[in-house]
């Protein structure tokens, strides 16, 4: 493993139609963000299960970012509301395990919002760096 | 678990391999569990590689494949095709994005890009190992359509649906067809008469053997889903049972009915709606008469019951401005010496209708602009309406008018029975109380209930031509279902674990598509997913308190194994030869580029400058400097480094 | 019938939102469609936009999925960079003569990697960004293009062939020739869209003369996430604008264009209302308030025509956000001669009747919609009637809006008159419905 790879490890949940293409745009424009950002694309952010997020923390991810569709979601006008509920529910579970609830974050990301994604990753990385590694809060299995 | 996985890692002619060590990854992935073949390939999407993968699948009896190349948006269909041609289920293939989300995004850090690619590909292998062979299920769809409402939109759509070969049941609650157009008189902008237009359509409909028209017919219970709806229709007291594939709702609108005393309404018969006025004009000959008295002055008051910024009907009904002006022109055409005052807020004769507005102004109609805050006041004095209004076009001067007739240009409102229709068909109603489409651009005639479409003014105010276009759009969507004769929904749908589910209704509550219903199974109630209406969005899965719901292709096993795959530590050896394209600490060469770029670069040197400063240094105009600096920025020679102290301009510097 | 054959159920001309929608509707009905687009990518005007009213959805989010669906639909054959030369109707069938212009890049080989663009030294105008920035002589038209492939502007190329050397799949071919094609179709859908008014023909507004007078399409580019600058900046000097004016009805509701008869493209007297300018200006104003929170935005208007579903509410929202609406027609725009490149707008304030002058540092002309009827000239043995503004004449506006004067030829979108995106989409659906009814009856008889 390279020594410089101490940057916080972030798992991004994106959406197939809108936010994942937005993340692609960042690459296309050669806008750089931390290489310890990994993405899983789903149909809709309101389908993310809290257990998946918990799994990420258990496996050593320092933060989870949800790139939602906001009001552009083609499935439900209440998409943001449902996604927020999932986050709240997960944060409950996180508190029980002494994981800082700030390690989860959501923002709406459009399909060409490349710059916005990069700046979200930058800000979130900073916050996570201040919080320190997830291993300072829980023991991580790999 | 898949045991015979093939992995293909693409160079993309350097786009990936210049940064990511694909050769090393190819070797590493060969050691992963279940992987029987792992290769790096120059262009995964090329014809020859596609054939190579097909051959591997057949010869090595692969049960799953992973392609690590560009974004899944580009070539998922290509490689699904490869799988299908080689006899592999297309859902046993996983695409890993190592270009847009790896080599390009991290071209500044090749070693880290390789480590990330390692995690991404491992996650792909893990996922595909848990993948299932998903099959689409075909559901037969009826080639019959119910059209609800036989106004102009319904009649017209019925005709096209029949021409396209559908059996059409046209259901009208009144005893005659034609809706609002039947009694509208002369129509803008064609000048046709509403009655003639309807009669012509009815004649055409009668010639079609595949349209059945029911008048005095009301909608009853509706069940089923797209392809197969079962509807009860009460026709003159008798029960008719229909089995149709789709439903088009064209129930139209009501006119806003002014309140008691609103602009003098119901206080004098000289205050009337535009519709009643049109009938009066239609019925008068030689001279425009009202109750035996000649009509010489008419005041039209616009936006009645609409654009209420603080009231119920906030929207604009779009066609009323044109309708009122068209009526005024009719009056001038038919009768001499009638003076017209138009009391309006904004004249919205959009598009070609503007020509009518222009003509009316030319004919001497007077336009007085009022503001919603100070609407005109209509008083009835000696049986005659007397209007006071502040004209916003002449410094809010107060004007008084006395008119023989006051015509209230009323807006459109939803049908009084639209709530019932919405409950029967489960279609949602929007903020404006009209039926709501899924999306104004993506799905403007679709409702969240698959197979139920909305056309015409039941979706929102429209003029005749627009109503017809929207209804025909609905007809086009319906015909795509009926011409195929079946629906083949993607197999990515929710599924319920019957052992765990204890029917709590939470999943049904959140489903936007009415796809979850309780059924009895082994002595208890459980949720059942209607796969023809489920969109696989996944909303229902996280709300299940016992985790009984999974979405195919996005199962817990698949997602969690991906997370595990990302987390594996990578043991990557540093690459021997480092490509030049990776950051070398030198600024890119400007040789061969426009001379002005080299001059700009020379002048900038190590400085941080704004565009006017750069322009000053190289002695070109600010405008020319903007264009060149922005283009140099685009191609990576210059970068912006934040605003200057005054926050008026950005600072730029040469990119190293 | 396979897609490679030369007989199609429908020829759709134009790959903007209306053409895509018509083609997709017909293709979904299992009809075989040939979609012809004159540019190197489909997408039309909509793909250039930032966000769209009244939902403020990003235009790309809505239109790119539709573009890829169009490009890969098994029932659609897509020809880009293609001209229609002639359409002859004979015995109920349309005989079509097409030319596919060379892009000098083989579509099936190009991977869209942009290495060629990187090495190309020749900088030319970027039309997609209304020339507010440059691009290379070989480039992908824009980042969301479909098909996503490079093309060479051969007139401006200096033929240094550096691109050939870096192209690993050998996709670049300077010997590529125009390709002539003859096909037949049972029906034709015209979806050729519209021209934006070229504001140079209103010299009193100074467009083309003063760099800080821009048109609304340029502003849409400036606020799009794929924008040419790194922020909303004015073109004269890269300054962050803080006092922006919108001039509505620039080239609409206006019959005073100088030399209107003499000009051919994007300029004509336009007595009608363009239907979209009020709303796109309000949209831009809302987006600008987000992008430049400190900026003042004033919209000079005659009437605000917020007529569609949710539009009035959108207008009210803009007022609530603090966009300044002033009723008045701008008579003249001049640049201040103090070197600031700021502009002075002269107008009559209709509420007071007084002549006023105000200063702004950026002016956006809300340019109108003009017809583009050039396609009608390709119909050589029958005539597609146009109205006196040059829009395709609907044969029966109220009952069959998509029908034209030739049986079997239909019109979709703004080719028949100004339309916003939702109306264009509905009109395209109607054209598909009418065309399908027509084709179905052909085979029945």
């Amino acid at each position: 493993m390279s020594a410089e790879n101490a940057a916080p490890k972030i798992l991004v949940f994106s959406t197939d139609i809108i936010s994942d293409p937005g993340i692609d745009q960042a690459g296309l424009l050669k806008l750089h963000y931390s290489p310890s950002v990994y993405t899983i694309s789903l149909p809709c952010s309101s389908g993310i299960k809290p257990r998946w997020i918990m799994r990420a923390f258990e496996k050593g991810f320092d933060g989870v970012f949800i790139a939602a569709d906001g009001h552009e979601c083609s499935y439900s006008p209440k998409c943001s509301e449902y996604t927020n509920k999932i986050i709240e529910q997960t944060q409950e579970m996180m508190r029980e395990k002494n994981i800082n609830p700030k390690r989860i974050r959501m923002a709406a990301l459009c399909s060409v919002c490349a710059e916005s994604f990069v700046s979200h990753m930058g800000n979130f990385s900073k916050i996570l760096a201040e919080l320190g590694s997830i291993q300072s809060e829980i023991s991580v299995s790999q | 678990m898949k045991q015979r996985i093939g992995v293909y890692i693409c160079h993309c002619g350097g786009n990936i391999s210049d940064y990511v060590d694909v050769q090393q990854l190819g070797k590493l992935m060969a050691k992963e569990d279940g992987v029987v073949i792992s290769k790096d390939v120059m262009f995964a999407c090329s014809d020859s590689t596609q054939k190579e993968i097909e051959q591997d699948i057949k010869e090595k009896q692969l049960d799953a494949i992973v392609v690590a190349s560009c974004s899944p948006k580009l070539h998922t269909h290509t490689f699904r095709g490869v799988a299908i041609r080689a006899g592999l289920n297309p859902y046993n293939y996983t695409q890993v994005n190592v270009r847009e989300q790896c080599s390009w995004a991290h071209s500044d850090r090749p070693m880290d890009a390789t480590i990330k690619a390692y995690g991404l590909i491992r996650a792909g292998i893990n996922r595909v190992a848990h993948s299932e062979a998903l099959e689409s299920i075909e559901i037969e769809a009826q080639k019959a359509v119910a059209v609800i409402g036989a106004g102009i939109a319904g009649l017209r759509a019925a005709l096209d649906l029949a021409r396209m070969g559908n059996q059409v049941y046209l259901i009208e609650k009144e005893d005659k067809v034609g809706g609002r157009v039947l009694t509208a008189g002369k129509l803008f902008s064609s000048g046709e008469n509403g009655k003639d237009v309807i009669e012509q359509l009815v004649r055409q409909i009668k010639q079609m053997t595949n349209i059945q028209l029911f008048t005095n017919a009301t909608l009853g219970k509706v069940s089923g889903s797209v392809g197969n709806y079962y509807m009860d229709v009460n026709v003159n007291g008798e029960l008719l049972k229909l089995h149709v594939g789709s439903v088009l709702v064209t129930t139209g609108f009501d006119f806003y009915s002014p309140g008691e005393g609103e602009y003098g309404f119901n206080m004098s018969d000289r205050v009337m709606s535009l519709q009643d006025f049109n009938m009066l004009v239609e019925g008068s000959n030689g001279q425009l008469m009202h109750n035996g008295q000649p009509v010489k002055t008419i005041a039209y008051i616009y936006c009645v019951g609409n654009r209420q910024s603080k009231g119920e009907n906030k929207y604009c009904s779009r066609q009323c401005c044109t309708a009122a002006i068209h009526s005024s022109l009719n009056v001038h055409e038919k009768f001499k010496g009638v003076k017209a005052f138009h009391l309006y807020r904004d004249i919205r004769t959009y598009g070609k209708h503007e020509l009518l507005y222009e003509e009316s102004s030319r004919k001497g109609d007077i336009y007085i602009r009022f503001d919603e805050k100070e609407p005109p006041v209509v008083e009835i004095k000696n049986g005659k309406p007397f209007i006071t209004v502040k004209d916003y076009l002449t410094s809010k001067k107060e004007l008084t008018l006395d008119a023989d007739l006051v015509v209230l240009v009323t807006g459109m409102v939803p049908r009084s029975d639209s709530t019932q229709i919405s409950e029967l068909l489960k279609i949602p109603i929007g903020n404006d109380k009209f039926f709501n489409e899924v999306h104004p651009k993506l799905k403007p005639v679709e409702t969240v209930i698959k197979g139920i479409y909305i056309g015409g003014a039941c979706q929102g105010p429209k003029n005749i031509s627009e109503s017809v276009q929207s209804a025909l759009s609905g007809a086009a969507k319906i015909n795509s279902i009926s011409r195929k004769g079946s629906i083949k929904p993607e197999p990515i749908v929710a599924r319920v674990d019957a052992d765990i589910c204890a029917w709590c209704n939470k999943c049904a509550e959140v489903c936007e598509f009415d796809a979850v219903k309780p059924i009895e199974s082994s002595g208890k109630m459980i949720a059942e997913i209607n796969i023809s209406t489920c969109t696989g969005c996944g909303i229902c899965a996280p709300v299940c308190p016992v985790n009984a719901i999974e979405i195919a292709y996005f199962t817990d096993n698949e997602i969690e194994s991906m997370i595990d795959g990302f987390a594996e530590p990578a043991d990557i050896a540093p690459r021997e030869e480092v490509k030049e394209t990776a950051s070398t600490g030198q600024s890119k060469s400007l040789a061969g580029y426009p001379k002005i770029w080299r001059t700009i670069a020379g002048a900038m040197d190590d400085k941080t400058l704004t565009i006017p400063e750069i322009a000053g240094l190289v002695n070109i105009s600010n405008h020319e400097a903007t264009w060149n600096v922005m283009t140099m920025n685009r191609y990576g020679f210059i970068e912006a480094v934040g605003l200057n102290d005054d926050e008026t301009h950005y600072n730029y510097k040469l990119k190293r | 019938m396979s897609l490679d054959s030369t007989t199609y159920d429908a020829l759709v001309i134009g790959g903007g939102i209306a053409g895509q929608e018509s083609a997709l509707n017909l293709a979904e009905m299992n009809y075989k469609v040939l979609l012809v687009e004159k540019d190197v990518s489909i997408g039309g005007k909509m793909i250039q936009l930032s966000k769209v009213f009244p939902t403020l959805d990003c235009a790309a989010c809505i239109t790119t999925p539709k573009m890829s669906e169009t490009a890969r639909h098994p029932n659609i054959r897509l020809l880009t960079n293609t001209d229609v030369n002639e359409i002859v109707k004979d015995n109920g069938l349309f005989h079509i003569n097409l030319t596919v212009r060379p892009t000098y890049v083989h579509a099936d080989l190009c991977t869209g990697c942009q290495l060629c663009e990187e090495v190309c030294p020749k900088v030319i105008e970027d039309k997609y960004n209304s020339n507010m920035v440059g691009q290379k002589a070989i480039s992908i038209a824009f980042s969301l293009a479909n098909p996503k492939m490079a093309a060479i502007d051969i007139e401006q190329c200096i033929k240094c062939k550096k691109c050939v050397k870096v192209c690993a799949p050998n996709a670049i071919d300077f010997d590529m020739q125009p390709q002539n094609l003859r096909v037949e179709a049972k029906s034709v859908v015209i979806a050729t869209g519209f021209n934006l008014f070229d504001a140079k023909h209103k010299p009193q507004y100074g467009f083309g003369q003063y760099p800080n007078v821009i048109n609304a399409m340029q502003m849409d580019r400036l606020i799009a996430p794929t924008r040419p600058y790194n922020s909303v900046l004015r073109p004269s000097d890269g300054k962050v604008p803080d006092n922006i004016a919108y001039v509505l009805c620039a080239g609409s509701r206006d019959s005073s264009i100088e030399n209107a008869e003499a000009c051919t493209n994007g300029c004509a007297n336009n007595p009608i209302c363009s239907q979209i300018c009020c709303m796109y200006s309000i949209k831009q104003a809302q987006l600008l308030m987000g992008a430049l929170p400190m900026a003042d935005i004033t919209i000079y208007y005659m009437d605000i025509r917020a007529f569609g579903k949710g539009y009035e509410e959108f207008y009210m929202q803009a007022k609530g956000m603090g966009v300044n609406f002033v009723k008045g027609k701008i008579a003249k725009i001049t640049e201040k001669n103090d070197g600031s490149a700021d502009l002075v707008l002269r107008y009559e304030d209709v509420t007071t009747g007084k002549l006023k002058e105000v200063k702004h540092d950026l002016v956006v002309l809300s340019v109108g919609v003009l017809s583009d009827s050039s396609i009608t000239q390709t119909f050589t043995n029958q005539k597609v009637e146009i109205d006196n503004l040059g829009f395709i004449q609907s044969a029966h506006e109220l009952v069959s809006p998509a029908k034209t004067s030739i049986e079997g030829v239909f019109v979709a979108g703004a080719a028949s008159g100004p339309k916003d995106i939702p109306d264009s989409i509905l009109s395209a659906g109607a054209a598909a419905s009418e065309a399908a009814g027509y084709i179905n009856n052909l085979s029945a008889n």
Side-chain angles (χ1 to χ4, degrees), chain B residues 431-443:
Chain B
N431 289 336
D432 54 9
K433 310 270 166 62
F434 288 93
F435 295 143
N436 219 8
E437 70 285 349
V438 175
H439 188 280
K441 296 178 184 72
L442 288 172
K443 292 183 172 178

Side-chain angles (χ1 to χ4, degrees), chain A residues 39-98:
Chain A
T39 304
I40 295 179
S41 183
L42 301 169
C44 175
S45 60
S46 57
I48 300 168
K49 288 187 181 176
R51 56 179 279 171
W52 300 346
I53 301 173
M54 294 307 289
R55 175 79 155 224
F57 293 129
E58 285 155 16
K59 290 287 171 177
F61 277 93
D62 300 298
V64 172
F65 185 88
I66 297 175
D69 292 352
H71 61 88
E72 272 138 7
C73 176
S74 59
Y75 295 109
S76 169
K78 292 187 195 144
C79 173
S80 308
E81 188 190 315
Y82 292 142
T83 309
N84 265 320
K85 268 189 201 151
I86 292 164
I87 292 175
E88 282 164 24
Q89 203 185 329
T90 314
Q91 285 175 329
E92 274 308 304
M93 296 162 78
M94 289 162 74
R95 278 188 201 98
E96 276 169 30
K97 298 216 160 180
N98 288 323

Side-chain angles (χ1 to χ4, degrees), chain B residues 52-67:
Chain B
E52 190 183 326
I53 301 174
E54 280 171 49
Q55 208 178 337
D56 286 350
I57 295 172
K58 287 181 200 153
E59 283 177 6
K60 306 218 162 23
Q61 284 144 25
L62 302 182
D63 56 6
I65 53 168
V66 172
V67 180

Side-chain angles (χ1 to χ4, degrees), chain B residues 2 83 157 189 217 256 285 293 362 384 440 540 546 586 592 626 644:
Chain B
K2 299 297 171 195
S189 298
Y256 171 78
N285 282 306
Q293 305 259 322
R362 232 184 308 121
K384 261 189 102 172
C540 53
V546 292
Q586 284 290 307
T626 310
N644 64 0

Side-chain angles (χ1 to χ4, degrees), chain C residues 152-157 159:
Chain C
I152 297 176
D153 184 330
I154 203 71
E155 314 233 297
Q156 306 212 53
C157 170
K159 317 225 168 34

Side-chain angles (χ1 to χ4, degrees), chain C residues 192-301:
Chain C
T192 46
F194 63 97
N195 285 327
L196 280 171
F197 173 70
D198 179 355
K200 281 198 196 96
H201 296 277
K202 208 128 172 83
Q204 58 270 50
Y205 286 171
F207 180 80
Q209 186 186 356
Y210 311 133
N212 292 330
V213 178
I214 62 173
N215 69 29
M217 186 55 104
Q218 291 177 299
M219 181 51 98
D220 240 290
R221 295 303 314 141
L222 284 177
I223 45 187
T226 52
R227 60 193 173 220
Y229 305 165
N230 48 358
S231 172
V232 180
L233 305 176
R234 61 180 203 173
S236 79
D237 56 1
K239 178 178 172 263
V240 182
D242 56 21
N243 189 6
I244 304 170
Y246 276 84
V247 178
L248 285 184
C249 299
S252 303
R253 303 176 70 182
D254 184 356
S255 299
S256 66
I257 307 299
E258 285 176 31
N259 300 320
E261 294 75 22
C263 60
T264 48
N265 214 4
C267 59
N269 276 324
N270 191 21
I272 67 169
C273 155
S274 293
Q275 228 162 292
I276 59 171
C277 329
C278 285
M279 291 307 294
Y280 72 56
S281 303
I282 294 171
K283 168 201 80 179
Q284 292 186 356
Q286 288 204 14
L287 295 174
L288 282 168
M289 303 220 58
L292 307 169
M294 303 307 287
D296 291 323
I297 295 150
T298 307
I299 296 183
Y300 296 92
Y301 72 100

Side-chain angles (χ1 to χ4, degrees), chain B residues 579-615:
Chain B
K579 291 272 174 187
E580 271 174 43
T581 35
S583 54
T584 50
Q586 284 290 307
S587 40
K588 286 200 269 179
S589 166
L590 277 159
Y593 284 99
K595 188 162 164 272
I596 185 70
W597 288 18
R598 295 197 294 274
T599 315
I600 289 173
M604 287 181 79
D605 198 17
D606 272 336
K607 294 191 275 289
T608 300
L609 300 166
T610 65
I611 285 173
E613 286 164 354
I614 295 168

Side-chain angles (χ1 to χ4, degrees), chain C residues 70-119:
Chain C
T70 305
R72 64 152 197 265
H73 200 290
N75 289 336
I76 298 175
R77 184 180 177 197
L78 172 63
L79 291 177
T80 51
N81 218 29
T82 298
D83 291 321
V84 178
N85 305 319
E86 191 182 29
I87 303 177
V88 175
K89 190 178 180 188
D90 182 33
N91 209 4
L93 200 62
F94 295 91
H95 299 265
I96 300 137
N97 178 343
L98 305 163
T99 303
V100 184
R101 277 176 271 116
T103 54
Y104 306 97
V105 177
H106 288 287
D108 50 340
L109 297 177
C110 177
T111 64
C113 73
Q114 292 176 292
L115 284 178
C116 54
E117 192 174 336
E118 195 141 308
V119 299

